[in-house]
mmCIF file of all heavy atoms in Angstrom:
data_model
loop_
_atom_site.group_PDB
_atom_site.id
_atom_site.type_symbol
_atom_site.label_atom_id
_atom_site.label_comp_id
_atom_site.label_asym_id
_atom_site.label_seq_id
_atom_site.Cartn_x
_atom_site.Cartn_y
_atom_site.Cartn_z
ATOM 1 N N ASP A 91 51.481 2.774 30.819
ATOM 2 C CA ASP A 91 50.902 3.531 31.911
ATOM 3 C C ASP A 91 51.841 3.403 33.090
ATOM 4 O O ASP A 91 52.924 2.840 33.014
ATOM 5 C CB ASP A 91 49.455 3.094 32.250
ATOM 6 C CG ASP A 91 49.361 1.628 32.638
ATOM 7 O OD1 ASP A 91 50.377 1.082 33.111
ATOM 8 O OD2 ASP A 91 48.296 1.042 32.472
ATOM 9 N N ALA A 92 51.401 3.860 34.269
ATOM 10 C CA ALA A 92 52.275 3.899 35.448
ATOM 11 C C ALA A 92 52.605 2.479 35.932
ATOM 12 O O ALA A 92 53.601 2.303 36.611
ATOM 13 C CB ALA A 92 51.627 4.721 36.531
ATOM 14 N N GLU A 93 51.772 1.507 35.627
ATOM 15 C CA GLU A 93 51.931 0.153 36.196
ATOM 16 C C GLU A 93 52.578 -0.837 35.256
ATOM 17 O O GLU A 93 53.037 -1.894 35.680
ATOM 18 C CB GLU A 93 50.611 -0.393 36.678
ATOM 19 C CG GLU A 93 49.992 0.448 37.798
ATOM 20 C CD GLU A 93 48.687 -0.149 38.283
ATOM 21 O OE1 GLU A 93 48.323 -1.264 37.804
ATOM 22 O OE2 GLU A 93 48.051 0.481 39.172
ATOM 23 N N GLY A 94 52.575 -0.497 33.918
ATOM 24 C CA GLY A 94 53.153 -1.470 33.010
ATOM 25 C C GLY A 94 53.047 -0.998 31.567
ATOM 26 O O GLY A 94 52.823 0.197 31.294
ATOM 27 N N GLU A 95 53.202 -1.945 30.629
ATOM 28 C CA GLU A 95 53.169 -1.579 29.187
ATOM 29 C C GLU A 95 52.567 -2.736 28.407
ATOM 30 O O GLU A 95 52.453 -3.856 28.872
ATOM 31 C CB GLU A 95 54.612 -1.315 28.733
ATOM 32 C CG GLU A 95 55.527 -2.492 28.873
ATOM 33 C CD GLU A 95 56.950 -2.160 28.399
ATOM 34 O OE1 GLU A 95 57.173 -1.002 28.025
ATOM 35 O OE2 GLU A 95 57.768 -3.072 28.410
ATOM 36 N N TRP A 96 52.263 -2.434 27.114
ATOM 37 C CA TRP A 96 51.699 -3.398 26.230
ATOM 38 C C TRP A 96 52.799 -3.960 25.336
ATOM 39 O O TRP A 96 53.511 -3.215 24.668
ATOM 40 C CB TRP A 96 50.592 -2.800 25.333
ATOM 41 C CG TRP A 96 49.359 -2.391 26.148
ATOM 42 C CD1 TRP A 96 49.106 -1.203 26.660
ATOM 43 C CD2 TRP A 96 48.281 -3.267 26.449
ATOM 44 N NE1 TRP A 96 47.923 -1.203 27.316
ATOM 45 C CE2 TRP A 96 47.391 -2.477 27.198
ATOM 46 C CE3 TRP A 96 47.988 -4.590 26.201
ATOM 47 C CZ2 TRP A 96 46.170 -2.964 27.695
ATOM 48 C CZ3 TRP A 96 46.773 -5.082 26.718
ATOM 49 C CH2 TRP A 96 45.899 -4.310 27.446
ATOM 50 N N ALA A 97 52.937 -5.298 25.300
ATOM 51 C CA ALA A 97 53.942 -5.970 24.485
ATOM 52 C C ALA A 97 53.261 -6.739 23.353
ATOM 53 O O ALA A 97 52.174 -7.306 23.561
ATOM 54 C CB ALA A 97 54.764 -6.906 25.334
ATOM 55 N N LEU A 98 53.895 -6.801 22.171
ATOM 56 C CA LEU A 98 53.328 -7.531 21.079
ATOM 57 C C LEU A 98 53.289 -9.030 21.342
ATOM 58 O O LEU A 98 54.319 -9.641 21.613
ATOM 59 C CB LEU A 98 54.141 -7.252 19.799
ATOM 60 C CG LEU A 98 53.668 -7.926 18.506
ATOM 61 C CD1 LEU A 98 52.291 -7.323 18.117
ATOM 62 C CD2 LEU A 98 54.662 -7.715 17.360
ATOM 63 N N ALA A 99 52.073 -9.592 21.286
ATOM 64 C CA ALA A 99 51.890 -11.023 21.483
ATOM 65 C C ALA A 99 51.841 -11.744 20.163
ATOM 66 O O ALA A 99 52.356 -12.882 20.041
ATOM 67 C CB ALA A 99 50.649 -11.282 22.290
ATOM 68 N N ALA A 100 51.185 -11.129 19.137
ATOM 69 C CA ALA A 100 51.097 -11.759 17.820
ATOM 70 C C ALA A 100 50.877 -10.637 16.797
ATOM 71 O O ALA A 100 49.973 -9.795 16.959
ATOM 72 C CB ALA A 100 49.963 -12.750 17.764
ATOM 73 N N ALA A 101 51.725 -10.648 15.776
ATOM 74 C CA ALA A 101 51.555 -9.639 14.695
ATOM 75 C C ALA A 101 50.446 -9.996 13.736
ATOM 76 O O ALA A 101 50.103 -11.226 13.600
ATOM 77 C CB ALA A 101 52.858 -9.463 13.931
ATOM 78 N N ARG A 102 49.831 -9.014 13.129
ATOM 79 C CA ARG A 102 48.764 -9.310 12.176
ATOM 80 C C ARG A 102 49.291 -10.204 11.048
ATOM 81 O O ARG A 102 50.508 -10.234 10.717
ATOM 82 C CB ARG A 102 48.306 -7.966 11.526
ATOM 83 C CG ARG A 102 49.273 -7.287 10.643
ATOM 84 C CD ARG A 102 48.888 -5.832 10.409
ATOM 85 N NE ARG A 102 49.115 -4.998 11.590
ATOM 86 C CZ ARG A 102 48.804 -3.705 11.678
ATOM 87 N NH1 ARG A 102 48.228 -3.098 10.634
ATOM 88 N NH2 ARG A 102 49.051 -3.048 12.767
ATOM 89 N N THR A 103 48.409 -11.002 10.469
ATOM 90 C CA THR A 103 48.827 -12.017 9.521
ATOM 91 C C THR A 103 48.701 -11.552 8.050
ATOM 92 O O THR A 103 49.175 -12.214 7.137
ATOM 93 C CB THR A 103 48.009 -13.300 9.673
ATOM 94 O OG1 THR A 103 46.621 -13.036 9.551
ATOM 95 C CG2 THR A 103 48.267 -13.888 11.069
ATOM 96 N N LYS A 104 47.988 -10.438 7.833
ATOM 97 C CA LYS A 104 47.871 -9.907 6.451
ATOM 98 C C LYS A 104 48.109 -8.403 6.478
ATOM 99 O O LYS A 104 47.592 -7.695 7.329
ATOM 100 C CB LYS A 104 46.471 -10.161 5.912
ATOM 101 C CG LYS A 104 46.098 -11.657 5.823
ATOM 102 C CD LYS A 104 44.788 -11.880 5.147
ATOM 103 C CE LYS A 104 44.350 -13.352 5.178
ATOM 104 N NZ LYS A 104 45.240 -14.197 4.387
ATOM 105 N N ASN A 105 48.901 -7.957 5.547
ATOM 106 C CA ASN A 105 49.267 -6.550 5.469
ATOM 107 C C ASN A 105 48.290 -5.822 4.552
ATOM 108 O O ASN A 105 48.633 -5.328 3.490
ATOM 109 C CB ASN A 105 50.688 -6.348 5.024
ATOM 110 C CG ASN A 105 51.155 -4.897 5.120
ATOM 111 O OD1 ASN A 105 50.683 -4.173 5.942
ATOM 112 N ND2 ASN A 105 52.148 -4.533 4.278
ATOM 113 N N ALA A 106 46.987 -5.789 4.910
ATOM 114 C CA ALA A 106 45.997 -5.166 4.069
ATOM 115 C C ALA A 106 44.814 -4.733 4.975
ATOM 116 O O ALA A 106 44.564 -5.311 6.000
ATOM 117 C CB ALA A 106 45.499 -6.138 3.016
ATOM 118 N N GLU A 107 44.115 -3.736 4.494
ATOM 119 C CA GLU A 107 42.912 -3.218 5.142
ATOM 120 C C GLU A 107 41.662 -3.467 4.312
ATOM 121 O O GLU A 107 40.549 -3.409 4.782
ATOM 122 C CB GLU A 107 43.025 -1.738 5.466
ATOM 123 C CG GLU A 107 43.964 -1.417 6.593
ATOM 124 C CD GLU A 107 43.506 -2.016 7.907
ATOM 125 O OE1 GLU A 107 42.326 -1.931 8.241
ATOM 126 O OE2 GLU A 107 44.358 -2.643 8.597
ATOM 127 N N ALA A 108 41.862 -3.699 3.014
ATOM 128 C CA ALA A 108 40.736 -3.862 2.103
ATOM 129 C C ALA A 108 41.088 -4.871 1.046
ATOM 130 O O ALA A 108 42.230 -5.263 0.867
ATOM 131 C CB ALA A 108 40.383 -2.502 1.438
ATOM 132 N N TYR A 109 40.075 -5.326 0.302
ATOM 133 C CA TYR A 109 40.278 -6.236 -0.802
ATOM 134 C C TYR A 109 39.513 -5.709 -1.994
ATOM 135 O O TYR A 109 38.611 -4.904 -1.870
ATOM 136 C CB TYR A 109 39.803 -7.655 -0.439
ATOM 137 C CG TYR A 109 38.316 -7.785 -0.200
ATOM 138 C CD1 TYR A 109 37.480 -8.291 -1.221
ATOM 139 C CD2 TYR A 109 37.719 -7.446 1.005
ATOM 140 C CE1 TYR A 109 36.107 -8.436 -0.982
ATOM 141 C CE2 TYR A 109 36.380 -7.569 1.211
ATOM 142 C CZ TYR A 109 35.588 -8.060 0.206
ATOM 143 O OH TYR A 109 34.220 -8.175 0.413
ATOM 144 N N LYS A 110 39.940 -6.113 -3.173
ATOM 145 C CA LYS A 110 39.322 -5.727 -4.417
ATOM 146 C C LYS A 110 38.026 -6.525 -4.662
ATOM 147 O O LYS A 110 38.077 -7.731 -4.726
ATOM 148 C CB LYS A 110 40.256 -5.894 -5.617
ATOM 149 C CG LYS A 110 41.491 -5.038 -5.545
ATOM 150 C CD LYS A 110 41.137 -3.542 -5.678
ATOM 151 C CE LYS A 110 42.398 -2.670 -5.689
ATOM 152 N NZ LYS A 110 42.073 -1.240 -5.738
ATOM 153 N N TYR A 111 36.930 -5.823 -4.722
ATOM 154 C CA TYR A 111 35.641 -6.440 -4.902
ATOM 155 C C TYR A 111 35.162 -6.207 -6.343
ATOM 156 O O TYR A 111 35.122 -5.071 -6.797
ATOM 157 C CB TYR A 111 34.627 -5.880 -3.921
ATOM 158 C CG TYR A 111 33.261 -6.484 -3.984
ATOM 159 C CD1 TYR A 111 33.031 -7.726 -3.413
ATOM 160 C CD2 TYR A 111 32.229 -5.827 -4.596
ATOM 161 C CE1 TYR A 111 31.743 -8.285 -3.445
ATOM 162 C CE2 TYR A 111 30.928 -6.366 -4.652
ATOM 163 C CZ TYR A 111 30.693 -7.604 -4.055
ATOM 164 O OH TYR A 111 29.431 -8.133 -4.126
ATOM 165 N N PRO A 112 34.816 -7.240 -7.116
ATOM 166 C CA PRO A 112 34.406 -7.035 -8.484
ATOM 167 C C PRO A 112 33.141 -6.177 -8.537
ATOM 168 O O PRO A 112 32.153 -6.426 -7.830
ATOM 169 C CB PRO A 112 34.061 -8.453 -8.970
ATOM 170 C CG PRO A 112 34.837 -9.362 -8.042
ATOM 171 C CD PRO A 112 34.854 -8.688 -6.721
ATOM 172 N N ALA A 113 33.174 -5.119 -9.361
ATOM 173 C CA ALA A 113 32.044 -4.222 -9.486
ATOM 174 C C ALA A 113 31.884 -3.844 -10.965
ATOM 175 O O ALA A 113 32.002 -2.655 -11.291
ATOM 176 C CB ALA A 113 32.205 -3.000 -8.623
ATOM 177 N N PRO A 114 31.697 -4.815 -11.839
ATOM 178 C CA PRO A 114 31.533 -4.500 -13.277
ATOM 179 C C PRO A 114 30.323 -3.607 -13.494
ATOM 180 O O PRO A 114 29.339 -3.664 -12.755
ATOM 181 C CB PRO A 114 31.367 -5.866 -13.917
ATOM 182 C CG PRO A 114 30.852 -6.747 -12.854
ATOM 183 C CD PRO A 114 31.455 -6.245 -11.587
ATOM 184 N N THR A 115 30.431 -2.785 -14.517
ATOM 185 C CA THR A 115 29.315 -1.936 -14.925
ATOM 186 C C THR A 115 28.915 -2.223 -16.349
ATOM 187 O O THR A 115 29.780 -2.516 -17.184
ATOM 188 C CB THR A 115 29.658 -0.449 -14.771
ATOM 189 O OG1 THR A 115 30.754 -0.132 -15.650
ATOM 190 C CG2 THR A 115 30.025 -0.108 -13.328
ATOM 191 N N ILE A 116 27.632 -2.145 -16.614
ATOM 192 C CA ILE A 116 27.161 -2.226 -17.983
ATOM 193 C C ILE A 116 26.483 -0.905 -18.291
ATOM 194 O O ILE A 116 25.597 -0.421 -17.596
ATOM 195 C CB ILE A 116 26.186 -3.386 -18.180
ATOM 196 C CG1 ILE A 116 26.932 -4.696 -18.127
ATOM 197 C CG2 ILE A 116 25.444 -3.280 -19.505
ATOM 198 C CD1 ILE A 116 26.118 -5.946 -18.346
ATOM 199 N N SER A 117 26.933 -0.300 -19.397
ATOM 200 C CA SER A 117 26.432 0.997 -19.838
ATOM 201 C C SER A 117 25.475 0.718 -20.995
ATOM 202 O O SER A 117 25.854 0.109 -21.980
ATOM 203 C CB SER A 117 27.580 1.921 -20.230
ATOM 204 O OG SER A 117 27.051 3.110 -20.845
ATOM 205 N N VAL A 118 24.241 1.240 -20.866
ATOM 206 C CA VAL A 118 23.240 1.032 -21.907
ATOM 207 C C VAL A 118 23.000 2.385 -22.571
ATOM 208 O O VAL A 118 22.551 3.321 -21.901
ATOM 209 C CB VAL A 118 21.912 0.496 -21.283
ATOM 210 C CG1 VAL A 118 20.883 0.258 -22.405
ATOM 211 C CG2 VAL A 118 22.178 -0.791 -20.524
ATOM 212 N N VAL A 119 23.244 2.457 -23.872
ATOM 213 C CA VAL A 119 23.049 3.688 -24.631
ATOM 214 C C VAL A 119 21.882 3.492 -25.607
ATOM 215 O O VAL A 119 21.919 2.596 -26.442
ATOM 216 C CB VAL A 119 24.320 4.084 -25.427
ATOM 217 C CG1 VAL A 119 24.109 5.436 -26.104
ATOM 218 C CG2 VAL A 119 25.522 4.152 -24.455
ATOM 219 N N ARG A 120 20.868 4.336 -25.501
ATOM 220 C CA ARG A 120 19.707 4.298 -26.396
ATOM 221 C C ARG A 120 19.676 5.642 -27.152
ATOM 222 O O ARG A 120 19.856 6.684 -26.589
ATOM 223 C CB ARG A 120 18.399 4.084 -25.626
ATOM 224 C CG ARG A 120 18.350 2.766 -24.878
ATOM 225 C CD ARG A 120 16.971 2.509 -24.251
ATOM 226 N NE ARG A 120 16.966 1.324 -23.407
ATOM 227 C CZ ARG A 120 16.736 0.090 -23.911
ATOM 228 N NH1 ARG A 120 16.520 -0.084 -25.173
ATOM 229 N NH2 ARG A 120 16.756 -0.938 -23.078
ATOM 230 N N TYR A 121 19.363 5.523 -28.441
ATOM 231 C CA TYR A 121 19.351 6.697 -29.331
ATOM 232 C C TYR A 121 17.903 7.110 -29.729
ATOM 233 O O TYR A 121 17.046 6.239 -29.955
ATOM 234 C CB TYR A 121 20.132 6.410 -30.597
ATOM 235 C CG TYR A 121 21.633 6.179 -30.345
ATOM 236 C CD1 TYR A 121 22.152 4.902 -30.174
ATOM 237 C CD2 TYR A 121 22.495 7.262 -30.192
ATOM 238 C CE1 TYR A 121 23.490 4.688 -29.915
ATOM 239 C CE2 TYR A 121 23.841 7.085 -29.934
ATOM 240 C CZ TYR A 121 24.310 5.794 -29.799
ATOM 241 O OH TYR A 121 25.661 5.595 -29.520
ATOM 242 N N TYR A 122 17.709 8.429 -29.749
ATOM 243 C CA TYR A 122 16.416 8.979 -30.111
ATOM 244 C C TYR A 122 16.631 10.233 -30.984
ATOM 245 O O TYR A 122 17.609 10.932 -30.858
ATOM 246 C CB TYR A 122 15.589 9.357 -28.856
ATOM 247 C CG TYR A 122 15.230 8.159 -28.011
ATOM 248 C CD1 TYR A 122 16.077 7.721 -27.013
ATOM 249 C CD2 TYR A 122 14.088 7.432 -28.270
ATOM 250 C CE1 TYR A 122 15.770 6.609 -26.240
ATOM 251 C CE2 TYR A 122 13.761 6.313 -27.489
ATOM 252 C CZ TYR A 122 14.594 5.919 -26.485
ATOM 253 O OH TYR A 122 14.274 4.780 -25.742
ATOM 254 N N HIS A 123 15.620 10.433 -31.839
ATOM 255 C CA HIS A 123 15.681 11.661 -32.650
ATOM 256 C C HIS A 123 15.160 12.868 -31.889
ATOM 257 O O HIS A 123 15.514 14.015 -32.148
ATOM 258 C CB HIS A 123 14.822 11.471 -33.919
ATOM 259 C CG HIS A 123 15.398 10.471 -34.906
ATOM 260 N ND1 HIS A 123 15.133 9.122 -34.794
ATOM 261 C CD2 HIS A 123 16.259 10.610 -35.946
ATOM 262 C CE1 HIS A 123 15.768 8.479 -35.794
ATOM 263 N NE2 HIS A 123 16.458 9.332 -36.466
ATOM 264 N N SER A 124 14.298 12.585 -30.896
ATOM 265 C CA SER A 124 13.655 13.640 -30.125
ATOM 266 C C SER A 124 14.236 13.759 -28.720
ATOM 267 O O SER A 124 14.434 12.743 -28.037
ATOM 268 C CB SER A 124 12.145 13.352 -30.020
ATOM 269 O OG SER A 124 11.538 14.083 -28.947
ATOM 270 N N ARG A 125 14.544 14.950 -28.313
ATOM 271 C CA ARG A 125 15.051 15.214 -26.958
ATOM 272 C C ARG A 125 14.009 14.781 -25.941
ATOM 273 O O ARG A 125 14.377 14.194 -24.907
ATOM 274 C CB ARG A 125 15.391 16.698 -26.768
ATOM 275 C CG ARG A 125 15.969 16.987 -25.376
ATOM 276 C CD ARG A 125 16.376 18.437 -25.214
ATOM 277 N NE ARG A 125 15.232 19.325 -25.432
ATOM 278 C CZ ARG A 125 15.312 20.671 -25.374
ATOM 279 N NH1 ARG A 125 16.478 21.248 -25.143
ATOM 280 N NH2 ARG A 125 14.254 21.415 -25.538
ATOM 281 N N ASN A 126 12.745 15.061 -26.171
ATOM 282 C CA ASN A 126 11.704 14.728 -25.216
ATOM 283 C C ASN A 126 11.643 13.200 -24.996
ATOM 284 O O ASN A 126 11.494 12.728 -23.878
ATOM 285 C CB ASN A 126 10.344 15.250 -25.684
ATOM 286 C CG ASN A 126 10.278 16.758 -25.554
ATOM 287 O OD1 ASN A 126 11.049 17.384 -24.855
ATOM 288 N ND2 ASN A 126 9.315 17.352 -26.269
ATOM 289 N N LYS A 127 11.728 12.447 -26.109
ATOM 290 C CA LYS A 127 11.682 11.000 -25.976
ATOM 291 C C LYS A 127 12.848 10.497 -25.164
ATOM 292 O O LYS A 127 12.757 9.576 -24.393
ATOM 293 C CB LYS A 127 11.658 10.323 -27.337
ATOM 294 C CG LYS A 127 10.298 10.345 -28.039
ATOM 295 C CD LYS A 127 10.357 9.527 -29.315
ATOM 296 C CE LYS A 127 8.966 9.498 -29.987
ATOM 297 N NZ LYS A 127 9.005 8.702 -31.233
ATOM 298 N N ALA A 128 14.007 11.127 -25.391
ATOM 299 C CA ALA A 128 15.238 10.718 -24.647
ATOM 300 C C ALA A 128 15.059 10.958 -23.191
ATOM 301 O O ALA A 128 15.366 10.117 -22.361
ATOM 302 C CB ALA A 128 16.435 11.431 -25.248
ATOM 303 N N PHE A 129 14.535 12.147 -22.841
ATOM 304 C CA PHE A 129 14.441 12.475 -21.407
ATOM 305 C C PHE A 129 13.415 11.572 -20.723
ATOM 306 O O PHE A 129 13.519 11.339 -19.506
ATOM 307 C CB PHE A 129 14.003 13.941 -21.249
ATOM 308 C CG PHE A 129 15.211 14.865 -21.135
ATOM 309 C CD1 PHE A 129 15.830 15.406 -22.259
ATOM 310 C CD2 PHE A 129 15.750 15.179 -19.886
ATOM 311 C CE1 PHE A 129 16.910 16.222 -22.184
ATOM 312 C CE2 PHE A 129 16.830 16.040 -19.782
ATOM 313 C CZ PHE A 129 17.446 16.528 -20.939
ATOM 314 N N GLU A 130 12.445 11.038 -21.468
ATOM 315 C CA GLU A 130 11.448 10.155 -20.900
ATOM 316 C C GLU A 130 12.102 8.827 -20.465
ATOM 317 O O GLU A 130 11.561 8.098 -19.613
ATOM 318 C CB GLU A 130 10.348 9.820 -21.908
ATOM 319 C CG GLU A 130 9.399 10.989 -22.160
ATOM 320 C CD GLU A 130 8.442 10.701 -23.284
ATOM 321 O OE1 GLU A 130 8.470 9.577 -23.843
ATOM 322 O OE2 GLU A 130 7.592 11.573 -23.614
#
């Protein structure tokens, strides 16, 4: 600005914005002879 400027005092310590979070999924498959039973 007109009166001064911003100087780096300390750089960030990690070069990342996010981390990998475990999100396992389990898929459950059930079989039916009838479409109606399946939709239920």
Side-chain angles (χ1 to χ4, degrees):
D91 59 25
E93 297 182 4
E95 62 182 3
W96 292 93
L98 182 65
R102 70 195 73 183
T103 59
K104 299 184 186 295
N105 188 26
E107 286 300 312
Y109 66 99
K110 295 294 183 184
Y111 181 77
T115 62
I116 289 182
S117 174
V118 182
V119 184
R120 297 186 187 276
Y121 294 97
Y122 295 90
H123 293 87
S124 161
R125 180 177 61 180
N126 289 342
K127 283 187 177 180
F129 270 87
E130 289 173 2

